[in-house]
Amino acid sequence: MFEILLYILSVCRYESVVLDWCRQTEALLNEKEGMVSSEDGEIGPRTELEYWRSRMGKLNSIIEQLKGENCRVVLAVLQARENASAGTLLLTDAFHD
């Protein structure tokens, strides 16, 4: 019984972590980066290029974090729980039929 409680608490914690990751990622992607204009007030190609390089760096950082061991473990546990829940529902439906 104690193991089940620990498992449930772990799953709840992992769900909270994933929601936090989603909020942080969304905030990062929605972050408005001001393009600094040149001396004459125009935004030129170099400024545009720097802006997109910065965005690419952020996206690459997110991708690398998603490939990390911590992320894979959390997502695997949540996926296993989801699959187990779906299996329980199928067994319950079959029992009632």
Side-chain angles (χ1 to χ4, degrees), residues 1-15 74 76-85:
M1 182 69 171
F2 182 71
E3 291 85 14
I4 294 172
L5 181 59
L6 284 177
Y7 173 75
I8 291 170
L9 290 174
S10 295
V11 168
C12 289
R13 174 68 182 132
Y14 285 172
E15 287 173 339
V74 168
V77 168
L78 293 178
Q79 184 67 42
R81 187 221 18 134
E82 185 177 310
N83 291 341
S85 297

Side-chain angles (χ1 to χ4, degrees), residues 31-55 58:
E31 191 176 84
K32 299 291 183 199
E33 297 178 24
M35 286 196 224
V36 179
S37 58
S38 61
E39 293 175 14
D40 58 0
E42 294 292 319
I43 296 176
R46 181 170 302 198
T47 305
E48 185 81 16
L49 185 59
E50 289 171 9
Y51 169 80
W52 288 110
R53 279 188 181 146
S54 172
R55 294 286 290 179
K58 289 178 181 181

Side-chain angles (χ1 to χ4, degrees), residues 28-29 33 49-65:
L28 182 69
L29 293 175
E33 297 178 24
L49 185 59
E50 289 171 9
Y51 169 80
W52 288 110
R53 279 188 181 146
S54 172
R55 294 286 290 179
M56 183 179 66
K58 289 178 181 181
L59 290 172
N60 285 335
S61 175
I62 292 169
I63 290 168
E64 288 305 311
Q65 289 177 28

